[in-house]
Amino acid sequence: MSLLTSLIRASTQFQQAMEKRQTPATGPETLATRAQNTTAEAEPTPGDDRFTASDNSQADPGRLKARRLAMADYKQTVGQDLAFVRETLRHKLAEYNLHPATALNVSKDENGSVAVEGKIADKTRALIEKDLKVNKNFKEAFSRLSVNEPTLDFMDNALKLNQAYGVNNPLLDTLISENQQFNGLQDLVHRYDTMRRSVGAEQIEAAGNTRAYAFNLNARA
C-alpha cells in the first residue's frame, strides 16, 4: 500500500511541475498574443453552431436611408385626399338616389380628364362625371392621388418586403436621396415618375404598381 501511495504522490508532483511550466508569462508580448488568440477563437466560422446571424440593418446603407423616410407623414397627406375623394363620391351616390354600396370607378381618360365608370344608367353616370369635372377641389385631390398614391404604395411594399425578408429593393434605393432634405413626398413622387419612365413598365409592375391609376369606391374583388 505504501508503494501505491508513493506512486500517487510522485504522479501528483509531476503533474504540478508540468502545470507550472505551462503557466503563461505576464509580459506585454505574451498578453498581446493571448488577446489575439482570444479574438481569433471568438470569431465564428462557417458552420459553427454557436454563430447566430445578427441584424446588420444599421450597417446597411439602403436600410439606413429607408428608415429616414417619413412614411407616417406621407400616409397622412395621401389619406386626406383619399378621404375627400371617397366622401365626394358617396355624396354623389346619395344625390342621385343610388344605393350606398354602388361601385364606382374614377380614372383619367386619354386627355387627363376625369372619367367615371360603374354599373349605373349611362345618363346618371354622365351626370356624375360632369359634376366631378367641374369640381375643382375634387379634380385637384384626384390629380394628387394619381401620382402620390402609386409612389406611396411602391415605397410601402418595398419597405415591408425589406423588413420581412431582408430584401433590398434597388429601385427604392435609387428613389431615396442621401440628403433627407430632398426626401419630401413631392421629391419622391418626381423621382418615382422619372424612374418609371426609365426602367420600363415591367419592373414597376413587378413591384406591384402600374402606370394607370384609378380610384374604386365600393369595389369588391
Side-chain angles (χ1 to χ4, degrees):
M1 193 58 114
S2 60
L3 178 60
L4 179 60
T5 303
S6 299
L7 288 174
I8 293 174
R9 183 178 302 170
S11 176
T12 303
Q13 291 175 349
F14 177 78
Q15 183 177 358
Q16 292 175 348
M18 290 298 296
E19 290 176 351
K20 288 181 180 180
R21 289 183 181 182
Q22 294 176 359
T23 301
T26 58
E29 294 181 358
T30 305
L31 291 175
T33 303
R34 186 190 306 175
Q36 292 177 356
N37 293 336
T38 302
T39 302
E41 292 177 359
E43 293 179 353
T45 57
D48 190 343
D49 293 337
R50 296 172 299 173
F51 174 69
T52 302
S54 60
D55 183 7
N56 295 323
S57 60
Q58 293 184 352
D60 189 330
R63 292 191 183 184
L64 287 175
K65 289 199 301 181
R67 283 186 177 185
R68 292 196 292 266
L69 291 176
M71 292 297 293
D73 293 340
Y74 306 153
K75 289 181 179 181
Q76 183 178 6
T77 299
V78 173
Q80 292 173 352
D81 284 334
L82 278 171
F84 178 79
V85 167
R86 184 179 292 112
E87 199 61 26
T88 301
L89 294 177
R90 285 175 177 169
H91 285 162
K92 285 301 168 185
L93 291 178
E95 181 180 345
Y96 288 95
N97 297 317
L98 296 172
H99 193 281
T102 300
L104 289 179
N105 177 286
V106 183
S107 60
K108 288 185 177 182
D109 58 24
E110 296 179 354
N111 298 321
S113 184
V114 174
V116 176
E117 295 180 358
K119 293 183 178 180
I120 56 179
D122 287 343
K123 182 179 180 180
T124 304
R125 183 199 59 77
L127 290 173
I128 293 176
E129 186 175 276
K130 181 180 179 181
D131 291 344
L132 296 178
K133 286 181 177 180
V134 298
N135 187 329
K136 181 181 177 181
N137 292 332
F138 179 87
K139 288 196 302 180
E140 290 178 349
F142 185 76
S143 180
R144 288 192 297 268
L145 277 181
S146 65
V147 291
N148 291 349
E149 191 173 23
T151 304
L152 184 61
D153 285 345
F154 168 76
M155 293 190 298
D156 196 37
N157 291 333
L159 289 173
K160 286 177 180 177
L161 288 174
N162 185 297
Q163 294 171 0
Y165 304 106
V167 178
N168 285 336
N169 190 317
L171 298 181
L172 180 63
D173 293 342
T174 302
L175 188 67
I176 306 172
S177 172
E178 294 286 352
N179 189 337
Q180 183 61 20
Q181 182 180 354
F182 302 115
N183 281 332
L185 181 57
Q186 295 310 309
D187 296 320
L188 295 168
V189 166
H190 175 72
R191 288 196 290 271
Y192 180 70
D193 184 62
T194 302
M195 184 175 66
R196 287 198 308 176
R197 297 177 183 179
S198 61
V199 303
E202 292 79 8
Q203 295 186 46
I204 296 297
E205 290 175 1
N209 294 75
T210 59
R211 291 181 179 273
Y213 175 81
F215 180 87
N216 296 298
L217 178 71
N218 299 326
R220 291 181 174 82

